[in-house]
């Protein structure tokens, strides 16, 4: 019988238990863009807008149990980028989805009222910012984040495939081949995997850690003791009912990966610093237009500050380096700074364009 914490987590399905990006593989490439689509835009959010949006994300996403799934959505949107130039954070999942995106329809629906309340932000920025807000306000690091991700306008803009997201069955060599192609190194691969401290896997009806709504290094503490897990269909489980996937275990089976697992298990600050850096890199993959000012994702902190980032990111050999400069906002505020005041939204009913589904071939 599962411990109490596991049973409590099951009550939060599908949102808490729908956060793993490693689900599925194999697909077919789409090859063209819609006419006149430009992957750039300039948001018109004010400092007060950012403050209010953070409060809404905290109230309507995090406190409703959708936080881990929001991080998964941000990961899946940006993680489709390839050095070949396709994919990237453009909210393409409104039009096309793959098997790895199972469960994200509900998360996108949760975002719809926020998009209606803040029409001046793109879907891509909203999804990405929500992920940063969840991490920063679940006990995790304050991820540096800046706006101006343009939305795809139909299924042909920045297309991606099931090959562009990882698979939960992969070994270390497969993970390295996949992430190297996006410009990540071994340390960054392990740091990003630490996002599994949030949420769980719906197929196994269990979380990775006993604190699945808190961002911490518990995932690495558990993974650093792999002998506690027994193989089950679809993954591994310990006596407390907590799970790991084959792609998790790959991190302790590879000598280089295992060094970072051990480091992060012993040093949470090192994990936080490396995750924040890797997540910023992930969130800006493939962006070809000028990025805006940095926005502090912490609720109660200042809105945007620092010099406007004017360079592009993405397509070099690293696949993720970003130009332009700016400092992370750190001013004080309570959500009513600047012009305008905070007004909680009343979620209306919203429809969404039905996505084209790409499954395994």
């Amino acid at each position: 019988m599962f411990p109490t914490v596991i049973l409590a987590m099951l009550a939060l399905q599908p949102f808490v238990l729908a956060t793993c990006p490693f689900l599925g593989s194999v697909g077919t490439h789409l090859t063209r863009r819609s006419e006149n689509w430009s992957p750039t835009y300039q948001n018109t959010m004010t400092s007060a807008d950012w403050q209010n949006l953070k409060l809404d994300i905290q109230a309507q996403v995090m406190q409703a149990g959708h936080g881990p799934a929001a991080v998964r959505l941000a990961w899946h949107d940006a993680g489709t980028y390839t050095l070949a130039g396709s994919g990237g954070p453009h909210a393409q999942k409104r039009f096309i989805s793959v098997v790895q995106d199972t469960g994200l329809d509900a998360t996108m629906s949760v975002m719809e009222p926020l998009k209606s309340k803040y029409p001046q932000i793109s879907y891509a920025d909203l999804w990405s910012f929500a992920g940063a807000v969840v991490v920063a306000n679940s006990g995790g690091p304050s991820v540096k984040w800046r706006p101006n991700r343009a939305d795809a306008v139909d299924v042909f803009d920045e297309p991606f495939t099931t090959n562009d997201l990882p698979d939960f069955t992969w070994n270390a060599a497969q993970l390295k081949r996949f992430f190297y192609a996006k410009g990540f190194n071994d340390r960054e691969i392990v740091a990003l995997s630490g996002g599994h401290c949030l949420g769980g896997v719906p197929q196994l009806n269990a979380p990775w850690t006993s604190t699945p709504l808190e961002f911490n290094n518990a995932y690495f503490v558990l993974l650093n003791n792999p002998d506690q897990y027994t193989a089950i269909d679809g993954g591994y489980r310990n006596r407390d009912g907590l799970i790991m996937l084959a792609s998790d275990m790959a991190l302790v089976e590879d000598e280089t990966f295992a060094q970072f697992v051990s480091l992060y298990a012993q040093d949470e600050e090192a994990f936080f610093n490396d995750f924040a850096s890797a997540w910023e890199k992930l969130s800006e993959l493939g962006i070809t237009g000028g990025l805006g000012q940095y926005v502090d994702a912490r609720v109660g902190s200042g809105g945007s500050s620092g010099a406007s980032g004017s360079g592009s990111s993405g397509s070099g050999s690293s696949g993720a380096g970003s130009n332009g400069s700016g400092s992370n906002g750190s001013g004080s505020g309570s959500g009513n700074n600047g012009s305008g005041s905070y007004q909680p939204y009343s979620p209306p009913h919203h429809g969404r364009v039905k996505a084209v589904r790409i499954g395994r071939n």
Side-chain angles (χ1 to χ4, degrees):
M1 179 175 292
F2 286 171
T4 302
V5 65
I6 304 300
L7 296 176
M9 289 309 307
L10 298 183
L12 294 176
Q13 287 184 297
F15 307 108
V16 170
L17 298 179
T19 189
C20 178
F22 301 106
L23 300 172
S25 187
V26 187
T28 303
H29 277 281
L30 298 173
T31 57
R32 74 170 180 86
R33 294 182 180 178
S34 55
E35 187 176 0
N36 299 323
W37 181 68
S38 171
T40 62
Y41 95 112
Q42 294 293 318
N43 84 91
T44 58
M45 293 279 284
T46 66
S47 179
D49 289 335
W50 290 117
Q51 294 285 2
N52 295 337
L53 176 56
K54 285 187 285 187
L55 291 174
D56 279 333
I57 291 170
Q58 185 181 52
Q60 305 298 332
V61 178
M62 295 178 63
Q63 293 176 7
H66 301 279
V71 174
R72 180 188 174 211
L73 177 60
W75 199 112
H76 277 221
D77 194 37
T80 57
Y81 174 75
T82 70
L83 292 179
S86 63
H90 297 291
Q92 176 69 313
K93 295 184 187 302
R94 292 173 299 139
F95 309 110
I96 183 170
S97 63
V98 293
V99 292
Q100 295 99 313
D101 296 329
T102 300
L104 287 181
D105 278 354
T107 313
M108 288 186 276
S109 294
V110 168
M111 298 291 180
E112 283 292 340
L114 294 175
K115 182 64 172 74
S116 294
K117 183 175 179 180
Y118 302 93
Q120 64 271 44
I121 191 174
S122 66
Y123 278 100
D125 271 352
L126 174 61
W127 295 357
S128 181
F129 187 57
V133 169
V134 171
V135 169
N137 295 285
S138 297
S142 181
V143 179
K144 293 180 69 175
W145 186 91
R146 46 189 179 170
N148 290 349
R149 295 159 185 78
D151 285 338
V153 297
D154 72 19
V155 70
F156 298 109
D157 301 331
E158 296 293 14
F160 63 92
T161 78
T162 49
N163 292 324
D164 298 331
L165 288 170
D167 190 290
F168 72 95
T169 66
W170 282 354
N171 59 31
Q174 291 169 308
L175 289 172
K176 289 184 178 186
R177 183 164 58 250
F178 175 83
F179 280 101
Y180 288 177
K182 297 180 187 294
F184 291 99
N185 60 35
D186 290 346
R187 188 173 188 134
E188 291 166 330
I189 295 169
V190 178
L192 286 174
S193 297
H196 283 176
C197 65
L198 294 174
V201 180
Q203 292 88 338
L204 299 179
N205 288 323
W208 281 274
T209 78
S210 61
T211 55
L213 295 179
E214 298 178 20
F215 197 97
N216 52 38
N217 70 335
Y219 167 79
F220 292 112
V221 173
L222 290 162
L223 187 58
N224 202 38
N225 182 20
D227 291 341
Q228 67 182 295
Y229 291 91
T230 301
I232 59 173
D233 186 22
Y236 300 82
R237 194 186 303 275
N238 71 6
R239 64 182 182 181
D240 295 320
L242 303 174
I243 56 90
M244 290 287 171
L245 300 171
S247 55
D248 297 314
M249 288 298 185
L251 302 182
V252 290
E253 294 167 354
D254 177 85
E255 182 178 355
T256 305
F257 281 163
Q259 294 176 9
F260 297 117
V261 171
S262 178
L263 170 65
Y264 298 149
Q266 300 173 56
D267 189 341
E268 187 175 69
E269 183 178 1
F271 165 49
F272 278 19
N273 289 337
D274 288 350
F275 180 88
S277 177
W279 188 266
E280 179 187 11
K281 182 174 178 177
L282 172 72
S283 73
E284 297 183 359
L285 288 178
I287 299 176
T288 56
L291 292 166
Q293 295 180 327
Y294 282 105
V295 180
D296 197 316
R298 295 169 295 180
V299 171
S301 64
S304 60
S305 72
S308 174
S310 59
S312 62
S313 72
S315 59
S317 61
S318 71
S322 61
N323 300 323
S325 61
S327 60
N328 200 8
S330 59
S332 62
S334 60
N336 292 326
N337 293 349
S339 60
S341 60
Y342 174 69
Q343 296 291 329
Y345 70 74
S346 297
H349 174 73
H350 287 273
R352 193 173 63 82
V353 178
K354 185 173 179 62
V356 176
R357 193 74 167 172
I358 295 181
R360 288 189 174 96
N361 281 347

